[in-house]
Amino acid sequence: MVNIVIVATANYLWGAAVTVRSALEACSTTLNAYVISVDLSPEDRRRLFDSWQTPNVGTIKFVDFDLGQVDKLRSTLLVKSKSPYARFFIPEYLSDVSRCIYLDTDLIVCSDLKELQTLDLQGKSSACVIDGGIDTPQQQQRLRDKLKLTNPRQYFNSGVIVMDLDAWRRGHIQSKALTVAQDNYDLLDQMDQDALNIVLADDWLVLDPKWNTSKGRADVGFSDGIIHFLGKVKPWHADYAANFQDRWFAILDRTAFSGQRPVRLFGVGAAYRRFARSIPTLEMVKGKLRRILRSA
């Protein structure tokens, strides 16, 4: 059987429904879904549960996550929520599971995840896809100078991670990632992803890029792998104007959220989304000022 884990928030509720539903529909065996719930209401959970009722669904388990556990860690304008740090706690919350596949909640799974569940990790604790945005001189300098990666071209995107949870527990990866995220607060522009790249350096297997392909790199007929809707704007937002939206909503219409669409209101909805995304939190402003003063 296949074990997948997501971190679910109310803002990404439709995304969670589609990610898991697409994984179920593509899977040839029983699939168990573990949901780390940040702020889901009982009604949200019920609707997600109903969305995933396919013949091959196995266990659906919700686990509550307290954001207070990561209160001292950094957030950014790209990802204002600190919910992504919840993935650090997967080995703890899935204490009786040996291997799982972590998935972000802005994906369409097009291929059978059984292939990843049974993948030979060759002694590594994890398997991931190299991030598609690391080739610029600025990013290479950031990875070398800020994160101190000895091989800055071996930097993964954390949206899809095959996790040997026994190895994570033996290596205390959870506690190491939390320590790195706290001790390097001002250096982690990519938050949890940066922290995991530091902790897992040389301890992860490179996956075929098809398993985490950004929407901008996938061709229109993409059907082998996973489509990742990277960026601030998601298919369920009123101002989304990129590809694969029709396919995404076709899957949503096979869930308990069938027929639901973003509110547009003659462009007002899209304008509001853009405005809301541009406002930094007070914590971000303080951090920016601190970094400016430190470099002065």
Side-chain angles (χ1 to χ4, degrees):
M1 62 180 61
V2 173
N3 301 310
I4 66 170
V5 186
I6 65 169
V7 176
T9 66
N11 284 340
Y12 276 61
L13 188 63
W14 294 1
V18 167
T19 294
V20 177
R21 179 76 191 200
S22 65
L24 282 161
E25 291 180 353
C27 194
S28 64
T29 188
T30 301
L31 185 146
N32 301 317
Y34 296 88
V35 183
I36 300 177
S37 170
V38 175
D39 58 357
L40 300 183
S41 68
E43 175 65 11
D44 292 336
R45 297 183 188 211
R46 184 193 66 77
R47 297 183 78 181
L48 287 178
F49 184 90
D50 291 345
S51 295
W52 303 331
Q53 296 308 303
T54 61
N56 62 329
V57 68
T59 298
I60 299 175
K61 182 177 181 180
F62 291 87
V63 180
D64 289 321
F65 181 74
D66 178 7
L67 281 174
Q69 297 179 91
V70 294
D71 183 58
K72 296 181 179 179
L73 305 186
R74 183 181 179 183
S75 60
T76 67
L77 195 58
L78 178 62
V79 185
K80 291 184 180 180
S81 172
K82 297 183 182 182
S83 60
Y85 292 111
R87 77 189 79 187
F88 291 174
F89 295 81
I90 292 173
E92 174 184 336
Y93 291 156
L94 275 66
S95 58
D96 58 345
V97 176
S98 293
R99 178 184 287 202
C100 71
I101 303 163
Y102 168 81
L103 300 173
D104 272 356
T105 51
D106 57 351
L107 309 174
I108 294 177
V109 179
C110 306
S111 293
D112 192 343
L113 292 180
K114 182 180 178 181
E115 183 177 340
L116 294 184
Q117 184 72 34
T118 59
L119 179 71
D120 180 3
L121 292 181
Q122 301 176 25
K124 306 292 187 181
S125 72
S126 311
C128 316
V129 170
I130 291 177
D131 190 88
I134 64 169
D135 291 332
T136 66
Q138 295 88 347
Q139 270 288 62
Q140 284 295 296
Q141 182 179 9
R142 185 183 80 86
L143 299 179
R144 284 194 307 269
D145 299 345
K146 279 191 173 184
L147 303 193
K148 307 299 182 184
L149 297 182
T150 56
N151 188 353
R153 296 199 176 276
Q154 292 289 101
Y155 176 90
F156 60 80
N157 181 282
S158 60
V160 177
I161 309 175
V162 184
M163 304 171 67
D164 179 340
L165 294 179
D166 290 332
W168 275 57
R169 295 180 193 107
R170 288 195 301 270
H172 305 288
I173 292 173
Q174 174 180 331
S175 60
K176 289 177 181 177
L178 287 166
T179 299
V180 166
Q182 184 165 340
D183 291 351
N184 298 276
Y185 182 101
D186 286 322
L187 301 179
L188 305 185
D189 297 339
Q190 297 295 323
M191 297 170 56
D192 58 297
Q193 181 169 287
D194 281 350
L196 286 174
N197 269 276
I198 292 171
V199 173
L200 295 176
D202 301 320
D203 189 27
W204 60 281
L205 183 72
V206 177
L207 286 177
D208 188 307
K210 74 176 187 179
W211 289 112
N212 191 350
T213 302
S214 73
K215 65 182 186 299
R217 292 175 181 254
D219 61 56
V220 67
F222 187 94
S223 61
D224 183 17
I226 296 175
I227 301 169
H228 194 168
F229 293 89
L230 292 167
K232 296 180 182 180
V233 188
K234 306 302 181 183
W236 59 90
H237 291 157
D239 55 339
Y240 185 83
N243 52 355
F244 299 110
Q245 188 176 43
D246 289 345
R247 191 191 297 192
W248 190 90
F249 275 113
I251 300 170
L252 185 70
D253 285 342
R254 297 195 291 274
T255 74
F257 303 94
S258 177
Q260 297 195 28
R261 297 294 185 270
V263 177
R264 300 187 185 278
L265 295 177
F266 305 103
V268 175
Y272 171 76
R273 292 293 315 180
R274 288 192 293 270
F275 173 72
R277 283 193 294 267
S278 67
I279 302 175
T281 64
L282 179 60
E283 179 185 348
M284 292 175 200
V285 173
K286 290 180 178 177
K288 183 68 173 180
L289 290 173
R290 183 174 59 253
R291 288 187 288 276
I292 291 173
L293 291 172
R294 184 177 297 164
S295 61

